[in-house]
Amino acid sequence: MRIAIIGGGYVGLVSGACFAEFGVSVAVVEADAAKRQMLLEGRIPIYEPGLDKLVADNAAAGRLTFPETLEVGIAEAEAIFIAVGTPTRRGDGHADLTYVYAAVEQVLKALDHPAVIVTKSTVPVGTGRTILEMARRLRPDLAVEVASNPEFLREGSAIPDFMRPDRVVVGAESERARAVLRQLYRPLYLIETPILFTGLETAELIKYAANGFLAMKITFINEMADLCEKVGADVNDVARGIGLDGRIGRKFLHAGPGFGGSCFPKDTLALMRIAEEAGAPSRLIQSVVAVNDHRKDGLAARVVAACGGDVAGKVIAVLGLAFKPETDDMRESPALPLVRGLVSRGAQIQAFDPEAMETARPLLPARVTLAADAAGALTGADALVLVTEWNEFRVLPPARLRELMRGDVVVDLRNVFDPAPLRAAGFTYTGIGRPLP
Ligand code: NAD
């Protein structure tokens, strides 16, 4: 079977490499010439564990190609996946569908055989129907079908997520579209992955509902953490105490600095707009967006309070910049408002992230020093703020912190440090929703 994927970003490249690993012949069409060149040279434009090898192996086997033109890429493809970005539209929170419709139009113009156009990008409810209308209008001569196949992979564990997903969702209204996708996902069918066939609108909404729910879960535990701080309770134990209830579940109950990343912030905003426009506004999702924004805006003030009310002239080590570990993605990372807020209050920032230094640099104020490693960031620091829970930060011994830092403030925005040994070593430790001694 032959397929094409339009867009070689996180989702396009991972999906392409994984489908190729399933034995499918995949052409990933990437419009950005520099990115495409990197891919042709076997270099991966993003950091994602295992992706370099998967791409190299499948490219070497001839199953994964990066053609120069879309025309070549879609030739003989039975399914054409749209995996381009759907960022927040400036000003109104809607998903910006410019790239999606441009890609679909390019595909429709170049297509010379019947095919299924599949949206893998996260697109608002109704997009698939619009694409179907475009196909009928622009190519009445061809039997073009449309399907929605939202992607649920997480950055940092994208390959296992794609290879062993909890479920696959396919929104399609013709037997041919269903048959093509069933065939494509056959290896998952064999490992008994549930494959849920729905209508187009339902599949599109499942993706937003999933992200809205997960964002709500995170936001809920963050609010509980704030309450814990007021009443002397421990949010880690609260999360465990409720998470062991099978109806609630333990995942996504880690209190922290507020959610970021390439999906939750934009998808909650878009869901809010979709619901408003449909005449069924979601007050829950509206609250999630507002509470999370407020939380991220307040991060700098949290650190200032931990530093005794003033950070002017103080050196603050920021460990972790990416929105989560095992990625170099800086989109909507809580580190951004935190660092900007601290810099505007006169702090001197020494930051380090194991993978995100390059992506972070253009987004940070020029005055921020990027250190070569964690030790460099900590040297001479008055305070340490842990933002992203990379494993290498979890194991920093208090004695080493003592050696490197000149001050004694530790702000742990991910609750990864054990407070007792830090306090025993003379540090003032502040976590999220953890009681003071
Ligand atoms: P991305 O920005 O990393 O990648 C998009 C790529 O598409 C870019 O490389 C861009 O150059 C390319 N592109 C744009 N227009 C093109 C065209 N006409 N032809 C060829 N290439 C084109 O985005 P992403 O993070 O991969 O997200 C893609 C979609 O998947 C979004 O809708 C997102 O919400 C969704 N999604 C993302 C994730 C994630 O973890 N990143 C997870 C699930 C779903």
Side-chain angles (χ1 to χ4, degrees), residues 17 32 65-66 176 192 203 217 327 335 427:
D32 181 326
T65 58
F66 303 101
R176 193 166 69 88
E192 296 185 2
K217 216 172 160 188
T327 181
F427 286 98

Side-chain angles (χ1 to χ4, degrees), residues 89 91-97 101 123-127 130 205 208 268-283 285-286:
R89 193 162 72 192
D92 64 6
H94 278 285
D96 183 348
L97 293 175
Y101 290 138
V123 292
V125 181
T127 306
T130 304
L205 186 53
Y208 281 105
T268 44
L269 265 182
L271 177 56
M272 196 169 104
R273 295 288 176 237
I274 292 166
E276 277 165 10
E277 280 195 354
S282 168
R283 289 169 64 184
I285 297 299
Q286 287 166 5

Side-chain angles (χ1 to χ4, degrees), residues 226-237:
D226 290 349
L227 180 56
C228 284
E229 284 167 17
K230 298 286 182 206
V231 301
D234 186 326
V235 75
N236 286 358
D237 291 338

Side-chain angles (χ1 to χ4, degrees), residues 1-297:
M1 187 175 196
R2 184 175 287 276
I3 66 167
I5 298 191
I6 314 300
Y10 274 93
V11 165
L13 190 57
V14 171
S15 315
C18 290
F19 278 134
E21 184 72 12
F22 290 170
V24 175
S25 176
V26 183
V28 172
V29 179
E30 172 52 55
D32 181 326
K35 264 193 202 179
R36 179 176 165 268
Q37 191 53 39
M38 283 183 80
L39 291 167
L40 285 173
E41 290 165 12
R43 292 182 295 135
I44 307 294
I46 51 170
Y47 175 75
E48 180 63 43
L51 188 57
D52 45 0
K53 182 170 180 335
L54 198 68
V55 168
D57 288 353
N58 283 284
R63 287 188 299 264
L64 182 62
T65 58
F66 303 101
E68 192 173 353
T69 65
L70 182 133
E71 286 73 13
V72 171
I74 67 171
E76 294 172 45
E78 283 184 65
I80 299 159
F81 284 80
I82 307 296
V84 301
T86 48
T88 299
R89 193 162 72 192
R90 212 173 266 269
D92 64 6
H94 278 285
D96 183 348
L97 293 175
T98 313
Y99 303 107
V100 170
Y101 290 138
V104 169
E105 212 172 300
Q106 277 175 283
V107 168
L108 286 171
K109 281 190 181 143
L111 202 61
D112 62 2
H113 61 282
V116 186
I117 297 181
V118 190
T119 50
K120 208 163 219 351
S121 300
T122 302
V123 292
V125 181
T127 306
R129 189 94 26 221
T130 304
I131 295 174
L132 200 54
E133 283 160 15
M134 286 170 74
R136 299 288 172 265
R137 181 163 41 85
L138 296 173
R139 296 308 300 268
D141 56 315
L142 280 181
V144 178
E145 312 284 346
V146 174
S148 161
N149 175 219
E151 183 49 58
F152 299 97
L153 63 78
R154 294 162 299 174
E155 288 175 19
S157 55
I159 294 169
D161 284 353
F162 193 95
M163 296 287 207
R164 288 185 296 281
D166 291 334
R167 80 308 204 181
V168 171
V169 172
V170 174
E173 283 158 14
S174 76
E175 195 36 57
R176 193 166 69 88
R178 279 190 287 269
V180 167
L181 282 144
R182 200 179 283 120
Q183 169 73 13
L184 203 48
Y185 281 110
R186 211 177 121 70
L188 297 186
Y189 200 70
L190 297 177
I191 55 166
E192 296 185 2
T193 305
I195 303 194
L196 185 63
F197 287 97
T198 71
L200 281 174
E201 284 77 7
T202 303
E204 289 166 343
L205 186 53
I206 286 171
K207 175 65 193 176
Y208 281 105
N211 276 359
F213 190 86
L214 293 172
M216 186 170 71
K217 216 172 160 188
I218 296 171
T219 306
F220 176 81
I221 203 65
N222 283 341
E223 280 202 332
M224 288 301 113
D226 290 349
L227 180 56
C228 284
E229 284 167 17
K230 298 286 182 206
V231 301
D234 186 326
V235 75
N236 286 358
D237 291 338
V238 171
R240 200 169 140 73
I242 64 173
L244 286 168
D245 183 330
R247 292 169 301 180
I248 295 173
R250 291 178 67 175
K251 292 185 179 161
F252 282 76
L253 284 182
H254 302 286
F259 60 78
S262 65
C263 290
F264 288 172
K266 83 174 173 59
D267 291 349
T268 44
L269 265 182
L271 177 56
M272 196 169 104
R273 295 288 176 237
I274 292 166
E276 277 165 10
E277 280 195 354
S282 168
R283 289 169 64 184
L284 276 175
I285 297 299
Q286 287 166 5
S287 299
V288 167
V289 170
V291 169
N292 195 63
D293 285 350
H294 181 71
R295 186 170 194 81
K296 284 159 83 175
D297 288 344

Side-chain angles (χ1 to χ4, degrees), residues 410-422:
V410 173
V411 182
D412 176 6
L413 296 177
R414 301 287 182 172
N415 288 349
V416 295
F417 295 136
D418 184 352
L422 280 168

